[in-house]
Amino acid sequence: MINSALVFASDFNYGVAYILAGLLLIYVSLYKKPSLQTAFIFMYNCFMRPIGKHASQQTRLNAFYENQADVYDATRGGLLRGRRTMLKLCAAELQKQHGQGKKLVWVDIGGGTGWNIEQMDALFGLEHFEAIYLVDLCQPLCKVAKQRFKARGWAHVHVVCQDAGTFTLPGNLCAIGRKHADLVTMSYSLSMIDAFYKVIDGVQQLVEPSAGVLGVADFYVSDSRASRGDVGYHCNWLSRMFWQHWFELDHVYLHPSRRNYLEHQFSTIKEFNSRNHFIIPHLVQIPYYVWLGRRCSAKQAYLANDIPDFTLVDKLPTPTASPKDCLLPSTKPIGSNLSATLQPNQPGYCRLPYNPAKPEHAQFSTYIYGFTWEDPQADLDVLDLQKGDSLLVITSAGDNALAYAANTPDITLHCVDMNPCQNHLLELKLAALQILSFGEFWEMFGKGVLADFPYVLDTQLSAHLSPAAYQFWRSHTETFSPASSASWWDKLLPVRRRNLYTTGYSGLALQCFRVIARVLGISHDLHKIANASSLQEQVDIWRSRVGSKLLSPLSIRFLDNPVAMWQLLGVPVSQWNMLRGEGSMSQYVRDTIEPVAASMSFNNENYFYHLVINQQYSPKCCPDYLTMAGFTKLQSLLNSAHQTTFHIHTSTILDTLQSLAPEELTKAVIMDHMDWFSPEEAAAEIEALKRALKRGGFVLWRSAARSPWYAESFASHGFSVEPISVRQPNTLIPLDRVNMYASFYKATKL
């Protein structure tokens, strides 16, 4: 019975192999990539030709590749995805760590034909390496590599045909003090190594301890308990079972233990999980990953060995020194599953670790706000920022935190958001501010489009992003280059992504507004308003052709329900009830829009409504950080280790406040989020604010109500409460450039 089952399984696997071979033949016949003869050589040697039994892995590899070594590179491009991405990320890390300084040493384990090394020459330049070693067990592939390097005259590139588990750097390098490699790469080799524990342990000793980089690209399957929360990591049961057993036919092993041990021995600095839609898009989905890591410090290794996987980290203390001193919080152990890690050498900001699998984080698949909908100038008029101030702010899209930093140097900003994607957006802005030119930065965040964003992300921005932020943006490259990825069906839809500002929930609101404007027949007039040459021209168009239609009962009714308020405006039911408790929705909307339309130019001054209409900024109507002066100031601050520091917390405000030292903050700006709370939740946060604020420190907030109920709770907890401004019904005087809220309050700790 058992023998019959084995025969059936063998016949089944060969049957599937012939089917895939036939599909591949059809594929290359249609697309002519590679040539038909080359494809046939690949199919015959991979799926049909028996290689027999062999006494060692080397003889098996030699037999498998001896007749296809010359066509290896031509036939693996579609199958071995992620190799170029891995090399780009490695090049970016090397550039960040070493620049054009010392000569480097690179070891490419399982480098095969030398394709990786040839590609790296275009990305980083092989002249920056003192020595490069390609280590591979397969003699036919090593022969191809030797011929390739000889033809290019790369005398410092050496091919070593031996077991990677026994490789060490040669004595001549050790004699001059080069005992470690600055870069080690493993491109689709880890899954083929029998003694992988020994090799990973050897690589750990091989990599330079402080700044060495290990890059890996390979197939994988997750384990059944995969709850780590990383984007795209989890594989369903069918995918796990099929691909693991399918690849074992060719002695390629995808068991999760390989990747788990790799990540156990090294700290993750970049990660990207994806699927290879090989031959048949969407039907064939082979899991693969790109991963970069560094050697763990002694303390990290101790914690990694001492703590079980999937440890939940609820609270993390905030570093009080520079970001490079806050690699590991000292009072709370950190499990290896934390997706975002601190950037130890990042001068201007650091991302504190968090657990993406926790429900409060896992509920978000994207950001809600692609732009911040609170006027930072109104805050700055009250904040009176001074050197040494320490602020807690809600991240949102990061615009206001950047405005505060540009206004006053030498301050500390604790940016807090429960939605990891909001912090991913802030991280991207900070990374771009550090290294991009003003022109590139303007394209990304002024127009919201950057045609070569995937390339810029991998080669420049990646080295300045946490693993979680990189993974998110690598999976959402269409945000900045939507035209290249939009299907013909998407292009026909009136509501579709056009740039950064049409993504997220706020982007959906902008798209719906555009559709409503078309239905009402005011699209052309709105664009005239956004480009009016004078305020009087804007007011005339608003009052004669736009206002009455936009504020019609039908439009108001469309908004006056909890679904539209939450999905389009991010307003929860509790806040919706607060504004309705002091008047009608019609009155509220009219009091919001009429004053700004009548008093502020949407062409020159009010960049909030300019964005709503045009779905992008203009050079003369944009946030300060998008001006040349603001960009230059922030870039200087972020590239100085002794200037403004951003600490990015992915947690609730309450948890962040409780993690801070007593009286660590001088000020806090909490926007309108207390409108969302119950009395018990508000009291707990107010108590935490009181503990974290210095005496004389204060809290600023906005509310949809003119008299928010929780103001009394602030007073009962020892705060002096005063309204900065309160919007009165039927007034034409706006509170600020947004004028969305009915009141603006300040509470000072007594």
Side-chain angles (χ1 to χ4, degrees):
M1 186 71 174
I2 294 175
N3 288 335
S4 298
L6 291 173
V7 170
F8 172 78
S10 177
D11 291 343
F12 173 77
N13 286 327
Y14 277 112
V16 174
Y18 280 108
I19 291 172
L20 282 179
L23 290 171
L24 183 61
L25 186 62
I26 295 171
Y27 174 77
V28 299
S29 298
L30 291 173
Y31 294 96
K32 300 179 181 178
K33 278 197 305 186
S35 71
L36 202 57
Q37 180 182 2
T38 300
F40 179 78
I41 294 172
F42 168 70
M43 289 185 295
Y44 174 73
N45 284 278
C46 288
F47 300 120
M48 304 173 190
R49 175 175 173 266
I51 62 172
K53 294 183 178 180
H54 296 272
S56 69
Q57 185 183 23
Q58 184 175 42
T59 58
R60 186 178 72 241
L61 289 171
N62 290 343
F64 184 74
Y65 286 111
E66 63 181 349
N67 294 324
Q68 57 169 316
D70 291 335
V71 301
Y72 183 91
D73 292 334
T75 56
R76 263 52 177 198
L79 180 62
L80 307 182
R81 299 281 186 179
R83 294 181 296 169
R84 194 184 298 273
T85 297
M86 182 266 288
L87 293 171
K88 289 176 183 176
L89 297 179
C90 289
E93 288 293 332
L94 293 176
Q95 182 65 39
K96 175 187 173 185
Q97 295 295 332
H98 304 286
Q100 306 298 322
K102 70 169 186 174
K103 295 282 188 176
L104 308 175
V105 175
W106 174 18
V107 178
D108 188 20
I109 295 177
T113 63
W115 183 90
N116 282 352
I117 294 172
E118 185 178 67
Q119 296 298 311
M120 183 64 91
D121 184 44
L123 294 170
F124 187 68
L126 296 192
E127 66 273 12
H128 300 302
F129 292 96
E130 182 174 342
I132 301 172
Y133 298 91
L134 185 155
V135 183
D136 203 293
L137 196 59
C138 179
Q139 292 170 333
L141 297 182
C142 286
K143 180 181 177 181
V144 174
K146 289 178 180 178
Q147 294 171 346
R148 168 179 263 149
F149 301 150
K150 182 178 179 180
R152 287 160 177 75
W154 292 337
H156 65 311
V157 182
H158 312 281
V159 178
V160 183
C161 192
Q162 74 175 67
D163 186 344
T166 63
F167 174 79
T168 58
L169 289 177
N172 63 319
L173 280 179
C174 296
I176 60 173
R178 303 305 303 270
K179 298 180 180 180
H180 300 94
D182 302 286
L183 173 65
V184 177
T185 52
M186 303 179 72
S187 175
Y188 286 90
S189 56
L190 180 59
S191 57
M192 299 183 69
I193 295 173
D194 289 340
F196 69 92
Y197 288 113
K198 179 182 178 181
V199 171
I200 292 175
D201 289 342
V203 169
Q204 188 189 41
Q205 298 304 312
L206 183 61
V207 174
E208 201 278 323
S210 61
V213 175
L214 169 61
V216 179
D218 214 329
F219 302 117
Y220 83 102
V221 294
S222 64
D223 54 34
S224 58
R225 66 189 182 102
S227 59
R228 54 197 256 169
D230 294 344
V231 177
Y233 174 77
H234 180 69
C235 304
N236 60 43
W237 177 86
L238 180 60
S239 179
R240 292 197 306 270
M241 298 300 294
F242 178 80
W243 291 118
Q244 186 171 337
H245 289 89
W246 170 260
F247 277 101
E248 281 182 4
L249 295 173
D250 282 333
H251 302 279
V252 178
Y253 302 101
L254 273 58
H255 192 276
S257 57
R258 294 175 181 254
R259 184 173 177 183
N260 288 346
Y261 190 64
L262 175 74
E263 295 181 340
H264 172 77
Q265 291 290 68
F266 293 85
S267 60
T268 301
I269 56 177
K270 290 294 171 296
E271 178 183 9
F272 173 56
N273 306 295
S274 190
R275 302 295 183 267
N276 182 356
H277 300 276
F278 186 58
I279 301 178
I280 310 175
H282 306 294
L283 179 61
V284 177
Q285 300 187 54
I286 309 174
Y288 74 93
Y289 70 103
V290 174
W291 180 91
L292 267 65
R294 287 198 183 93
R295 281 177 59 170
C296 296
S297 66
K299 184 174 182 180
Q300 287 174 308
Y302 169 78
L303 290 173
N305 287 317
D306 187 57
I307 299 170
D309 286 341
F310 311 109
T311 302
L312 295 181
V313 178
D314 297 313
K315 302 169 189 173
L316 289 168
T318 299
T320 55
S322 66
K324 64 182 179 182
D325 298 322
C326 61
L327 179 60
L328 277 174
S330 58
T331 62
K332 186 81 174 182
I334 298 179
S336 60
N337 62 307
L338 295 171
S339 180
T341 57
L342 293 170
Q343 305 294 301
N345 298 313
Q346 200 68 58
Y349 61 94
C350 63
R351 178 83 177 262
L352 276 79
Y354 72 99
N355 186 345
K358 293 182 71 173
E360 59 263 39
H361 307 318
Q363 64 179 310
F364 299 106
S365 60
T366 188
Y367 41 85
I368 295 176
Y369 308 106
F371 51 90
T372 302
W373 196 240
E374 284 84 11
D375 189 349
Q377 189 56 53
D379 299 340
L380 289 169
D381 290 342
V382 181
L383 282 170
D384 187 27
L385 292 175
Q386 304 293 324
K387 181 178 179 180
D389 268 340
S390 180
L391 279 76
L392 180 138
V393 302
I394 295 176
T395 302
S396 186
D399 298 349
N400 287 13
L402 294 175
Y404 307 151
N407 179 266
T408 306
D410 293 319
I411 62 174
T412 299
L413 289 156
H414 295 279
C415 303
V416 186
D417 212 296
M418 191 169 65
N419 183 344
C421 307
Q422 297 292 163
N423 285 334
H424 298 337
L425 181 55
L426 173 58
E427 261 200 86
L428 186 69
K429 290 180 178 179
L430 292 171
L433 278 164
Q434 275 199 313
I435 59 171
L436 296 186
S437 67
F438 176 69
E440 291 172 310
F441 189 78
W442 170 258
E443 290 293 315
M444 278 188 69
F445 299 107
K447 295 182 178 179
V449 176
L450 188 65
D452 58 345
F453 175 70
Y455 181 81
V456 172
L457 176 65
D458 285 344
T459 59
Q460 298 183 63
L461 297 171
S462 62
H464 301 267
L465 295 172
S466 67
Y470 172 76
Q471 168 75 45
F472 177 83
W473 290 112
R474 191 62 175 76
S475 302
H476 294 81
T477 54
E478 74 281 355
T479 299
F480 294 94
S481 53
S484 61
S485 59
S487 67
W488 65 270
W489 173 250
D490 291 331
K491 294 177 181 179
L492 293 177
L493 295 175
V495 177
R496 67 178 179 89
R497 291 175 296 193
R498 293 174 171 84
N499 62 5
L500 167 66
Y501 298 112
T502 56
T503 60
Y505 282 45
S506 59
L508 179 61
L510 262 59
Q511 294 179 72
C512 288
F513 176 76
R514 174 169 285 194
V515 173
I516 292 171
R518 288 180 181 176
V519 172
L520 297 175
I522 58 174
S523 296
H524 183 66
D525 292 323
L526 282 172
H527 283 285
K528 281 188 173 182
I529 284 179
N531 296 283
S533 58
S534 67
L535 178 60
Q536 187 58 52
E537 180 185 353
Q538 171 181 304
V539 172
D540 290 343
I541 298 172
W542 169 262
R543 289 177 176 170
S544 62
R545 300 197 294 271
V546 174
S548 59
K549 294 180 180 179
L550 192 60
L551 302 179
S552 66
L554 180 62
S555 301
I556 301 300
R557 189 169 182 177
F558 173 76
L559 284 177
D560 196 11
N561 65 86
V563 174
M565 292 297 286
W566 173 246
Q567 295 292 337
L568 299 182
L569 300 178
V571 175
V573 173
S574 57
Q575 191 172 43
W576 180 55
N577 289 331
M578 287 180 70
L579 67 89
R580 285 166 58 91
E582 295 182 342
S584 67
M585 174 61 74
S586 175
Q587 184 69 53
Y588 194 91
V589 173
R590 189 175 299 276
D591 288 343
T592 297
I593 301 178
E594 283 278 10
V596 291
S599 61
M600 298 180 183
S601 169
F602 292 180
N603 186 22
N604 299 308
E605 181 182 3
N606 196 321
Y607 63 79
F608 297 96
Y609 289 93
H610 183 95
L611 177 67
V612 169
I613 296 171
N614 289 335
Q615 299 185 353
Q616 64 179 31
Y617 296 112
S618 71
K620 61 181 179 180
C621 195
C622 61
D624 287 344
Y625 76 90
L626 285 172
T627 65
M628 175 61 85
F631 171 84
T632 303
K633 181 180 291 187
L634 285 168
Q635 190 169 72
S636 175
L637 291 175
L638 288 168
N639 285 310
S640 171
H642 304 289
Q643 293 282 348
T644 296
T645 297
F646 294 79
H647 295 298
I648 305 173
H649 305 254
T650 306
S651 65
T652 64
I653 291 180
L654 180 61
D655 285 345
T656 301
L657 289 168
Q658 291 175 343
S659 74
L660 298 175
E663 299 193 351
E664 183 172 340
L665 298 176
T666 57
K667 289 147 190 177
V669 183
I670 60 174
M671 296 185 175
D672 65 320
H673 89 286
M674 279 204 172
D675 282 2
W676 305 28
F677 280 1
S678 67
E680 295 76 19
E681 292 169 328
E685 186 166 302
I686 292 169
E687 183 63 35
L689 281 164
K690 180 182 178 182
R691 171 189 168 277
L693 279 167
K694 296 181 183 294
R695 187 175 300 276
F698 58 82
V699 184
L700 299 182
W701 79 82
R702 292 171 170 83
S703 176
R706 293 187 292 275
S707 300
W709 55 268
Y710 48 83
E712 294 182 3
S713 185
F714 269 100
S716 66
H717 281 82
F719 286 85
S720 172
V721 179
E722 59 178 310
I724 303 300
S725 52
V726 178
R727 193 177 73 191
Q728 299 302 321
N730 300 314
T731 183
L732 289 180
I733 302 175
L735 299 189
D736 53 36
R737 287 175 291 185
V738 178
N739 201 40
M740 179 65 74
Y741 300 98
S743 61
F744 183 30
Y745 275 80
K746 176 182 178 181
T748 305
K749 178 181 174 180
L750 300 175

